[in-house]
Amino acid sequence: MKGKINKQHFIGVFGLAMLNVAAVMSLRGLPMMAKEGLSMIFYILFSSVLFLLPVSLVSAELATGWPKSGGVYRWVKEALGTRAGFVAIWLQWLQNVIWYPTVLSFAAGALSYLFLDEELATNKYFNFFVILVVYWGATLASFKGLKIAGKIATYGVIFGTLLPGLLIIILGILWVSTGNGVEFLQPGQSINILPDFSNFDSLAFLAGIVLLFAGMEVGAVHVTELKKPSREFPSAIFTAMFIIIIIFSLGSLSIASVIPAEKINLNEGIMQGLGYLLSKFSVGWLLPVMGLLIAFGSVGGVLAWIVGPSKGLLATANDGDLPPLMAKINKNGVQQNILIIQGLIVTLASFIFLIMPSVSSAFFILSILTVAPYLIMYFLLFISAIKLRYSHPDVPRAFKLPWGNFGMWLVSGIGLMAVIFAFFIGFFPPEELAVGSPVFYVTFLICGVIVFVVTPIIINMMKKPGWKKEIDN
């Protein structure tokens, strides 16, 4: 039997915008883009204009047309049926479960600077300990409900993401304006804005960078916690979009300005850049403080994701697509059983940091597992948005894309092409990283995609009519 919600909690435009920023933006993505030099401009424009913008616009329309809790699950189910809806929310949920250890290992790297011991960043046991302590702490905070989790996520993104991001941008501008050299403009460095399209290996990072801009649809599951969703949700989503593009663009350029591309470390690049700039301006004592704040920002991002996709999974349980045990909520209306099961999976996945030979190899193996399955979910999202324009034309949408069905085809079509291209590119091993045999890389990725997609289909085939009846009672 489900628990009862004692009180409705509301979240404002600013709070939801910060949840969206926390869900999408992580400073750990800046080094990856900075490593590309000036061609980062192409990657940022591709990811923001051809991916982030279409996802934001489509999510805004779908969330205000179908405001009932469930997000991606509800939208895809309405368009393509229960099984497709379950596959979509499963892919969204499971990819971020695998993602948690990677973002928290980034937090562990930042914390190593707090302890003035950079070698801790590569210590597998330190990473394992930080991942489990921080993740379960964030899970316990989520048990208190959206109001508490929203506050922590808001403070986390302000002080742990925006503040360090703005600091590195300001220091980067000061560095350039005071006449210092810009590394990506030095002789011998590529000054091409466009990457080499004839070599797919050189484009392999594109899939990873696109995923840095993913997650805007997660905030849509909170549309029912807004007092005026038809007006407030679009405002929140576009506010978040603007902040994300500015921080990603200028932050990446700042790092690329002071560190040669070949010396940028993907795991610690943000701390490398901050350390270099802070020492140059004689405020190096701030680096440990920044490490603590950046780690706190990672906690805010984790909280935003813990509450989002798992809430969508709760909607599938309430519809009888999962066993009644998964529909259990506590007095604060939080899906506690789903969060506990999610935590157990995160704990098991974190053991890869102890099994793999290095933190970097574990980080990369977990990262590539999140890319392709999540892009499949976005494929279903855009297809559903187009389908709903025809199958449910009369459903009121407080926010609606302009130019009728042509506008929906245009925006969703652009998003679909970006998703398909990034999905295809993701199967090419990046030439900048040592990933072992290309055959192993591709085989591992294909097997991961098959397992991710087939599992929810099998679960859906095994569901029993009695699950729905038991939940309703």
Side-chain angles (χ1 to χ4, degrees), residues 310-367:
S310 62
K311 191 170 184 179
L313 202 64
L314 175 66
T316 71
N318 288 333
D319 284 355
D321 293 323
L322 288 171
L325 178 69
M326 303 288 279
K328 174 73 174 179
I329 60 176
N330 64 16
K331 63 181 181 180
N332 296 311
V334 176
Q335 54 281 11
Q336 63 179 29
N337 284 0
I338 290 178
L339 292 184
I340 291 173
I341 293 172
Q342 179 173 283
L344 294 175
I345 297 174
V346 170
T347 301
L348 289 174
S350 300
F351 274 97
I352 198 169
F353 281 87
L354 303 181
I355 298 171
M356 296 296 290
S358 69
V359 170
S360 295
S361 59
F363 182 93
F364 184 71
I365 284 292
L366 289 175
S367 295

Side-chain angles (χ1 to χ4, degrees), residues 35 43 52 83 114 155-156 220 256 264 298 314 323 331 362 385 392 415 429 436:
K35 203 170 181 66
Y43 290 106
L52 179 62
R83 181 170 296 175
L114 173 65
Y155 291 134
I264 296 176
S298 297
L314 175 66
K331 63 181 181 180
H392 295 73

Side-chain angles (χ1 to χ4, degrees), residues 37-106:
L38 272 182
S39 61
M40 79 173 77
I41 296 174
F42 165 79
Y43 290 106
I44 291 173
L45 288 176
F46 181 97
S47 300
S48 58
V49 176
L50 303 184
F51 179 73
L52 179 62
L53 182 59
V55 169
S56 301
L57 291 171
V58 167
S59 296
E61 173 169 329
L62 294 177
T64 54
W66 286 266
K68 189 177 178 181
S69 180
V72 169
Y73 165 70
R74 191 69 57 192
W75 310 334
V76 177
K77 177 183 176 181
E78 289 287 343
L80 306 176
T82 300
R83 181 170 296 175
F86 184 57
V87 169
I89 192 61
W90 178 272
L91 293 176
Q92 184 191 62
W93 174 72
L94 193 56
Q95 75 79 29
N96 88 86
V97 170
I98 303 300
W99 167 83
Y100 290 131
T102 65
V103 71
L104 290 177
S105 71
F106 168 73

Side-chain angles (χ1 to χ4, degrees), residues 20-335:
N20 281 326
V21 173
V24 175
M25 190 174 71
S26 170
L27 295 180
R28 71 188 180 98
L30 300 186
M32 183 182 295
M33 290 184 284
K35 203 170 181 66
E36 297 298 321
L38 272 182
S39 61
M40 79 173 77
I41 296 174
F42 165 79
Y43 290 106
I44 291 173
L45 288 176
F46 181 97
S47 300
S48 58
V49 176
L50 303 184
F51 179 73
L52 179 62
L53 182 59
V55 169
S56 301
L57 291 171
V58 167
S59 296
E61 173 169 329
L62 294 177
T64 54
W66 286 266
K68 189 177 178 181
S69 180
V72 169
Y73 165 70
R74 191 69 57 192
W75 310 334
V76 177
K77 177 183 176 181
E78 289 287 343
L80 306 176
T82 300
R83 181 170 296 175
F86 184 57
V87 169
I89 192 61
W90 178 272
L91 293 176
Q92 184 191 62
W93 174 72
L94 193 56
Q95 75 79 29
N96 88 86
V97 170
I98 303 300
W99 167 83
Y100 290 131
T102 65
V103 71
L104 290 177
S105 71
F106 168 73
L111 282 176
S112 69
Y113 285 80
L114 173 65
F115 298 118
L116 303 178
D117 185 358
E118 298 176 23
E119 291 185 2
L120 282 176
T122 58
N123 185 302
K124 59 177 67 177
Y125 297 100
F126 177 73
N127 276 263
F128 182 75
F129 176 79
V130 170
I131 290 170
L132 294 190
V133 170
V134 174
Y135 182 81
W136 281 105
T139 297
L140 292 176
S142 298
F143 284 171
K144 299 296 182 179
L146 178 63
K147 189 174 183 180
I148 299 298
K151 283 185 177 180
I152 296 176
T154 298
Y155 291 134
V157 75
I158 292 174
F159 295 106
T161 300
L162 296 182
L163 181 60
L166 288 173
L167 177 61
I168 199 168
I169 289 171
I170 292 171
L171 291 176
I173 292 174
L174 289 174
W175 172 263
V176 175
S177 62
T178 51
N180 293 286
V182 177
E183 287 295 339
F184 60 79
L185 295 180
Q186 296 299 314
Q189 296 292 329
S190 173
I191 58 174
N192 295 321
I193 294 179
L194 295 177
D196 182 7
F197 287 99
S198 65
N199 181 9
F200 283 141
D201 287 351
S202 69
L203 287 170
F205 270 135
L206 176 62
I209 292 175
V210 165
L211 262 291
L212 293 175
F213 289 78
M216 190 65 81
E217 79 290 345
V218 172
V221 302
H222 300 306
V223 70
T224 54
E225 277 85 25
L226 292 168
K227 290 184 178 179
K228 298 179 179 179
S230 62
R231 177 173 59 85
E232 293 177 335
F233 184 81
S235 297
I237 211 168
F238 292 126
T239 299
M241 222 181 80
F242 176 78
I243 293 172
I244 291 164
I245 293 173
I246 293 297
I247 297 294
F248 268 153
S249 302
L250 299 183
S252 302
L253 285 171
S254 293
I255 294 175
S257 296
V258 299
I259 304 177
E262 65 274 9
K263 294 184 179 180
I264 296 176
N265 185 299
L266 295 183
N267 294 334
E268 304 173 58
I270 182 68
M271 299 305 296
Q272 278 182 302
L274 274 173
Y276 190 85
L277 287 167
L278 289 172
S279 63
K280 287 295 182 181
F281 290 101
S282 303
V283 285
W285 57 269
L286 272 175
L287 188 60
V289 178
M290 288 297 104
L292 177 61
L293 291 178
I294 288 172
F296 181 48
S298 297
V299 174
V302 168
L303 268 171
W305 279 90
I306 284 177
V307 176
S310 62
K311 191 170 184 179
L313 202 64
L314 175 66
T316 71
N318 288 333
D319 284 355
D321 293 323
L322 288 171
L325 178 69
M326 303 288 279
K328 174 73 174 179
I329 60 176
N330 64 16
K331 63 181 181 180
N332 296 311
V334 176
Q335 54 281 11

Side-chain angles (χ1 to χ4, degrees), residues 364-387:
F364 184 71
I365 284 292
L366 289 175
S367 295
I368 64 172
L369 267 179
T370 68
V371 178
Y374 203 20
L375 289 174
I376 293 174
M377 186 280 292
Y378 279 112
F379 180 85
L380 294 173
L381 172 68
F382 287 122
I383 292 294
S384 297
I386 296 172
K387 174 74 180 300

